[in-house]
Amino acid sequence: MRSYLPYVLGAALGLLVAFILSAIFDVGGTPQLLLFGLLPAIGGAICERTVSRN
């Protein structure tokens, strides 16, 4: 079974970026839901693929 640590770390980083962008641009409502839904998933996928290539 492969390790899920790279995906979890990427998702955490994506969540941190979502918090920062939400605070800086004062985003609310549906755009905020999209930020918190998409950025962790995208961050996790990017980190997982980056680690698996090396």
Side-chain angles (χ1 to χ4, degrees):
M1 180 181 252
R2 68 177 192 201
S3 174
Y4 289 104
L5 185 62
Y7 184 82
V8 171
L9 291 176
L13 184 62
L15 187 60
L16 179 65
V17 170
F19 274 119
I20 292 170
L21 288 176
S22 178
I24 289 174
F25 296 116
D26 196 31
V27 178
T30 303
Q32 186 178 25
L33 289 174
L34 289 173
L35 267 178
F36 283 95
L38 294 177
L39 283 180
I42 292 170
I46 289 172
C47 187
E48 184 181 30
R49 286 187 183 195
T50 303
V51 169
S52 69
R53 286 185 183 180
N54 295 332

